Amino acid sequence: MICGPIVHHPDHPEAATNPLLIVEVISESSESYDRGEKFKTYRLIPSFCEYVLIEQRTPLVEVFYKIDSKSWRYRVYDQLHQIVQFSSLEVEIPMEEIYSGIHFQS
């Protein structure tokens, strides 16, 4: 999510350099990278202040919100009746909407 005009990376015109919020749908193959090195790299972006990881195998949404340059608030949502808060956008979305049409194995 970008608020305002998109600022493109000079060497990679398809990449924006000013995201506010980044959402990743994680898979078994990408989870370690998404939680580790990728998040570490994203934190170098000055405009970046919220990171959302959405699990596809089970209802789980994790939200990291930047408090300051060294502190992040962490919230976990793991019940379909919960409402996910996106602080950077001042928006709330029910977990049921995020996982609409998805049927989980018991």
Side-chain angles (χ1 to χ4, degrees):
M1 175 61 67
I2 297 171
C3 293
I6 297 173
V7 178
H8 295 279
H9 190 282
D11 297 329
H12 306 281
E14 71 284 355
T17 62
N18 62 327
L20 180 66
L21 174 139
I22 297 174
V23 177
E24 301 276 0
V25 176
I26 58 176
S27 65
E28 288 183 57
S29 63
S30 71
E31 184 172 7
S32 178
Y33 178 62
D34 291 341
R35 291 180 180 284
E37 198 61 35
K38 188 184 275 188
F39 186 31
K40 182 179 176 182
T41 301
Y42 286 160
R43 291 192 310 255
L44 299 174
I45 302 169
S47 63
F48 175 63
C49 66
E50 195 159 22
Y51 191 45
V52 179
L53 297 173
I54 299 176
E55 173 63 55
Q56 60 179 316
R57 299 165 296 208
T58 184
L60 177 65
V61 175
E62 297 172 280
V63 179
F64 299 84
Y65 181 73
K66 185 178 182 178
I67 303 299
D68 58 42
S69 64
K70 297 191 186 269
S71 303
W72 290 76
R73 180 179 67 217
Y74 172 75
R75 288 192 177 153
V76 63
Y77 303 89
D78 58 4
Q79 302 294 316
L80 290 175
H81 68 272
Q82 292 179 295
I83 307 293
V84 180
Q85 296 177 2
F86 299 99
S87 299
S88 63
L89 303 176
E90 297 181 3
V91 169
E92 296 180 341
I93 300 176
M95 285 276 285
E96 289 176 332
E97 286 187 28
I98 292 172
Y99 287 100
S100 177
I102 305 297
H103 302 283
F104 299 102
Q105 295 180 358
S106 299

